[in-house]
Amino acid sequence: MRTGPDDHTEPGAPVVDHARHPGPGEPAPSEPAARTGLGPHKAASGCPPEQRTDDLGTKSPRPGSGRTAQPSTVATDIPTDIARKWQEMTDLLAEILRVPAALIMRIEPPDIVVCVSSESKGNPFAPNERARLGSGLYCESVLKSRTPLLIPNALKDEQWKSNPDIELGLISYLGFPISWPTGDIFGTICVLDDRANHYSKAYQALMEQCRDVIEMDLKSIFALDARLTEEARAKERLEQQVAERTADLRHANAQLRQKIAEHERTEAALRKVAEECRCAEEALRTSQELLRAIIDSSTAIVAVKDIEGRYLLVNRRFEELFGVAREAIVGKRDDDVFSREHAEALRAFDRRALLAGTALKDEEVMPEDDGVHTYLTIKFPLRDAAGVPYAVGGISTDITERKKIEAERALVLEHEQRARTAAEAAVRMRDDFLSIASHELYTPIAGLKLAVQGLMREATTLPAGATKLARMAERQCQRLVRLIEDLLDVARIQAGKLDLRLGDVDLRALSREVVEHFDVELKQAGSTVSWRADAPVVGMWDRARLEQVVTNLVLNAIKYGRGKPIEISVAAEGEVARLVVADRGIGIDASCAPYIFERFERGVSAQHYGGLGLGLYISRQIVDGHGGSIRVESELGAGAAFIVELPLRRRRDALPTEVSAPTGGPDEPAG
Ligand code: ADP
């Protein structure tokens, strides 16, 4: 080690001479460790990766431990211009102090790094060389004690004689601690000599000045760093604010978009509602026009008045009839249009309808040009959506004509009623007369019949001409008896006294006997009878009455048969005995067929065919009385077939003993 310029060394210098042992309270230098030396740098000068708390009291936040109020003192880069200045400073120091090495060391835990190394001859330290803390370097002592250290000759110093720098030949050392403005240790500024060197006070002062310059630089770096940190923080705050603002804006934007969408939806809904309203209005207008057309085309008078009696609406008929335009009448009252009396009547009806709360019907009379007209008016309250009546409507139909017709009809009905009563009286009189007459006639005719029969018994004693006349008289007498008996039967039927005397009767035998009886009439008419009656048909019937039925049918077949053949069939089918008398005569008009079984009903003119129109009536009463039926099948001009059906076995409880009086019928006056 070069001998330092001892002459420059001034006593009293504040440096600690480590040629001596450290005093009490002074930090003990660490044991000289094996020289590890300062190796080649691994990180950029002045840019250690992180700062840790170490035994030198260097404190700085670890990465990720959060930022302190002050900027990091280790992580701070040394600006180039300051680095250059420091370089020049160390170069000058080396030159002035004539030492091989002037260094600015910096702590970058866990290392100590050569921050600046003088470009001087014999300097073994290269910038950025680093050594582990705890290697026993001179600087470590300075850093620990935070006081200057002067080692004039390490070789003579027990404490330092194993110092690793000795291996490099550097045996003297002068170092000063450098602090950040915060008080944290930055590093050291030191000079090393390869000779024993006491470094004069001037040198020490120079070094101190250099240290102060560096600390000033650190202050400005620190301030700059603080400003930059603050700026960074402000920038970060700003960015945060921008981010928050952006988020707010994004949120507001989303809300706005949502509101716009809502607005658009509302607008669409409103448009739809407006369209629906328009459609509804259109429909309302159409229905109003339709209603107007309907009420205008009505022949009835239509008017609507508010509850105060002011006209709201009238139809065309109203306008025509009362000579007022609808525009002119709106808002007017009845007494503006009609006479006081008529207006009062109209208004009273309105009030009644409003009071009743329902439609009321009444007749109204109105004097018109062609006389007084009668109207059937319906008045009804019109209600609003809440059900409160706001108007009264009226529809008046002119029923003058109808009233006239009704009056005429009533008159006709009265006449009819009178005529009916008269006809009923006449029928009653006729029936009474027939009843009396037939009774009165029957006794002399019965006497006459007996007399003629007596005469016929004496026929052999009579001249031939008299016999013939007597036979003729007998036949006419029988005919007369039948007519009177028919009349008597009608009277009996009317009185409900047509008795049936039931007994076993063979319908086939009975029919044959009847036909035989009319042998003469058949001959006179030129008709023949053919039979279809294979077996006896026996039932419980009234013989005399059935004879009467068969007689009527056969005589009609002879009378209306036009001399054509007559067919008679008698047969039993199941529970029914059927007798058919068919001819091929004039037949019956279909329009007459329903009536020929009624009393005095005839389908032929009296001029051409004699008869009372009672035969079929009595026959039907008798057949009905037996529980049977009679009907006709006929075609006009082609003949007629009368079919009688009688029950073969009758239920006892249904067995009638007399024929009940018929009620009404075509013979009765029309009702
Ligand atoms: P009447 O023969 O005395 O007129 P009826 O009661 O026997 O009375 O008959 C009623 C009517 O029925 C007759 O007037 C006639 O028009 C019609 N009629 C009855 N029998 C026949 C028949 N066989 N052919 C055509 N018409 C008949």
Side-chain angles (χ1 to χ4, degrees):
M1 185 178 277
R2 278 190 300 140
T3 310
D6 288 350
D7 44 338
H8 292 291
T9 306
E10 290 174 33
V15 294
V16 176
D17 186 348
H18 274 275
R20 57 182 178 86
H21 291 286
E26 286 178 353
S30 58
E31 280 300 311
R35 163 71 179 164
T36 52
L38 291 166
H41 74 277
K42 300 244 173 19
S45 172
C47 294
E50 58 184 16
Q51 181 177 2
R52 297 182 183 90
T53 304
D54 52 41
D55 55 354
L56 297 172
T58 305
K59 284 179 263 166
S60 65
R62 290 169 184 277
S65 64
R67 300 182 72 89
T68 61
Q70 294 297 323
S72 164
T73 51
V74 173
T76 308
D77 283 334
I78 305 301
T80 321
D81 54 338
I82 291 177
R84 197 178 302 121
K85 189 171 95 184
W86 289 1
Q87 185 65 54
E88 284 169 7
M89 196 189 296
T90 51
D91 290 350
L92 271 173
L93 273 178
E95 195 181 326
I96 293 167
L97 269 66
R98 281 178 284 161
V99 290
L103 304 172
I104 297 171
M105 301 297 288
R106 183 174 181 178
I107 283 181
E108 292 180 5
D111 295 335
I112 183 162
V113 179
V114 177
C115 180
V116 181
S117 180
S118 60
E119 291 173 353
S120 48
K121 194 177 169 200
N123 185 357
F125 300 108
N128 295 320
E129 261 185 63
R130 55 181 60 231
R132 286 275 158 185
L133 284 165
S135 313
L137 296 174
Y138 301 123
C139 287
E140 281 185 70
S141 172
V142 177
L143 294 170
K144 269 186 188 166
S145 64
R146 298 192 176 216
T147 51
L149 174 66
L150 170 61
I151 304 167
N153 187 352
L155 296 176
K156 289 184 182 170
D157 192 324
E158 271 306 305
Q159 189 185 346
W160 296 103
K161 64 183 180 188
S162 306
N163 185 280
D165 287 335
I166 292 175
E167 287 177 21
L168 300 172
L170 300 170
I171 58 167
S172 73
Y173 172 86
L174 173 63
F176 289 81
I178 306 170
S179 296
W180 286 100
T182 55
D184 288 342
I185 200 81
F186 169 82
T188 61
I189 179 166
C190 60
V191 286
L192 294 111
D193 201 349
D194 50 5
R195 298 169 298 168
N197 192 340
H198 286 274
Y199 304 103
S200 67
K201 293 279 180 206
Y203 288 162
Q204 289 180 30
L206 180 64
M207 287 282 283
E208 221 167 352
Q209 285 297 315
C210 288
R211 193 269 314 270
D212 290 346
V213 167
I214 291 168
E215 283 189 345
M216 284 300 291
D217 287 341
L218 286 177
K219 206 181 248 177
S220 68
I221 290 169
F222 186 81
L224 181 71
D225 199 27
R227 208 176 65 236
L228 286 175
T229 305
E230 189 48 46
E231 274 175 13
R233 219 174 277 164
K235 190 180 163 208
E236 196 176 309
R237 272 202 304 274
L238 197 67
E239 277 171 2
Q240 176 78 14
Q241 279 175 358
V242 167
E244 281 170 10
R245 192 78 193 113
T246 306
D248 285 351
L249 281 173
R250 207 169 283 138
H251 181 64
N253 200 20
Q255 280 185 334
L256 196 66
R257 264 205 300 275
Q258 202 174 331
K259 279 204 174 113
I260 288 170
E262 270 172 27
H263 181 75
E264 280 171 358
R265 275 200 298 278
T266 310
E267 217 174 58
L270 280 173
R271 265 201 304 277
K272 198 172 160 208
V273 168
E275 177 62 15
E276 281 170 1
C277 279
R278 201 188 58 72
C279 289
E281 275 171 16
E282 185 72 34
L284 186 66
R285 200 165 37 250
T286 308
S287 67
Q288 276 176 342
E289 280 165 10
L290 189 69
L291 180 69
R292 163 66 64 191
I294 290 169
I295 65 165
D296 273 349
S297 60
S298 170
T299 53
I301 302 168
V302 179
V304 178
K305 286 176 255 179
D306 66 17
I307 46 177
E308 305 297 331
R310 286 181 293 259
Y311 277 92
L312 297 172
L313 174 148
V314 296
N315 73 336
R316 190 168 295 145
R317 181 76 184 130
F318 189 104
E319 292 180 304
E320 288 165 358
L321 212 58
F322 304 116
V324 281
R326 64 185 66 172
E327 298 78 23
I329 199 165
V330 170
K332 294 222 168 77
R333 296 168 193 274
D334 284 321
D335 39 15
D336 298 321
V337 185
F338 303 107
S339 69
R340 197 169 59 84
E341 192 186 341
H342 187 51
E344 266 171 25
L346 290 173
R347 191 69 197 121
F349 193 6
D350 290 350
R351 275 196 288 267
R352 266 195 294 135
L354 282 168
L355 205 66
T358 183
L360 292 184
K361 205 189 275 186
D362 206 353
E363 284 185 14
E364 291 178 315
V365 286
M366 291 196 207
E368 289 177 24
D369 295 345
D370 57 348
V372 174
H373 279 236
T374 309
Y375 285 87
L376 178 66
T377 300
I378 298 171
K379 294 228 166 158
F380 46 89
L382 295 170
R383 298 169 193 282
D384 61 17
V388 180
Y390 69 93
V392 60
I395 303 172
S396 303
T397 311
D398 191 343
I399 55 166
T400 313
E401 264 318 293
R402 201 169 90 191
K403 287 294 253 187
K404 226 183 269 175
I405 292 165
E406 274 175 9
E408 283 168 9
R409 192 183 293 158
L411 208 64
V412 169
L413 269 177
E414 200 185 312
H415 287 150
E416 267 183 12
Q417 190 60 41
R418 259 191 242 130
R420 184 189 171 88
T421 312
E424 279 173 355
V427 167
R428 260 196 313 278
M429 272 176 67
R430 182 194 68 187
D431 287 349
D432 290 351
F433 169 75
L434 286 174
S435 179
I436 295 162
S438 51
H439 276 104
E440 289 305 314
L441 285 170
Y442 191 76
T443 316
I445 291 296
L448 183 64
K449 190 181 163 189
L450 282 172
V452 171
Q453 280 172 348
L455 193 63
M456 284 303 295
R457 276 196 296 274
E458 304 296 326
T460 48
T461 60
L462 293 175
T467 308
K468 196 180 169 191
L469 287 171
R471 200 166 284 132
M472 213 163 81
E474 188 193 20
R475 299 203 81 82
Q476 292 304 324
C477 199
Q478 277 173 350
R479 224 178 129 194
L480 205 54
V481 166
R482 272 201 306 277
L483 283 170
I484 290 167
E485 277 177 346
D486 278 356
L487 288 173
L488 283 170
D489 281 345
V490 170
R492 283 190 199 106
I493 291 165
Q494 289 304 110
K497 286 179 181 162
L498 188 71
D499 293 339
L500 296 178
R501 292 186 180 82
L502 302 180
D504 280 346
V505 176
D506 177 0
L507 186 60
R508 185 180 68 158
L510 180 146
S511 302
R512 282 188 188 280
E513 281 166 28
V514 169
V515 171
E516 277 168 19
H517 197 67
F518 295 112
D519 194 31
V520 176
E521 282 81 355
L522 280 165
K523 274 198 188 102
Q524 280 175 354
S527 295
T528 55
V529 173
S530 61
W531 287 90
R532 279 203 287 158
D534 303 333
V537 178
V538 180
M540 284 284 284
W541 301 307
D542 183 319
R543 166 177 286 279
R545 288 300 177 193
L546 282 193
E547 272 179 10
Q548 219 178 327
V549 171
V550 179
T551 300
N552 285 335
L553 297 182
V554 171
L555 283 177
N556 278 351
I558 293 168
K559 187 165 46 169
Y560 302 112
R562 295 191 299 192
K564 301 246 172 100
I566 297 165
E567 274 179 30
I568 301 175
S569 73
V570 183
E573 271 183 39
E575 300 290 299
V576 174
R578 183 176 293 115
L579 164 73
V580 180
V581 180
D583 63 68
R584 297 179 203 165
I586 61 170
I588 301 163
D589 191 308
S591 63
C592 297
Y595 306 106
I596 57 174
F597 293 98
E598 301 300 334
R599 195 167 48 150
F600 301 114
E601 288 293 336
R602 308 199 67 216
V604 290
S605 91
Q607 288 168 335
H608 296 106
Y609 298 95
L612 293 175
L614 292 173
L616 290 180
Y617 169 70
I618 293 165
S619 299
R620 195 184 71 179
Q621 299 301 321
I622 293 167
V623 172
D624 284 355
H626 281 87
S629 66
I630 181 169
R631 66 179 194 278
V632 65
E633 290 175 0
S634 176
E635 202 179 313
L636 193 63
F642 285 85
I643 301 139
V644 174
E645 287 181 342
L646 293 167
L648 280 169
R649 262 185 239 126
R650 304 202 53 205
R651 288 192 328 233
R652 282 183 178 280
D653 54 354
L655 203 67
T657 52
E658 61 184 37
V659 176
S660 57
T663 50
D667 195 43
E668 298 292 330

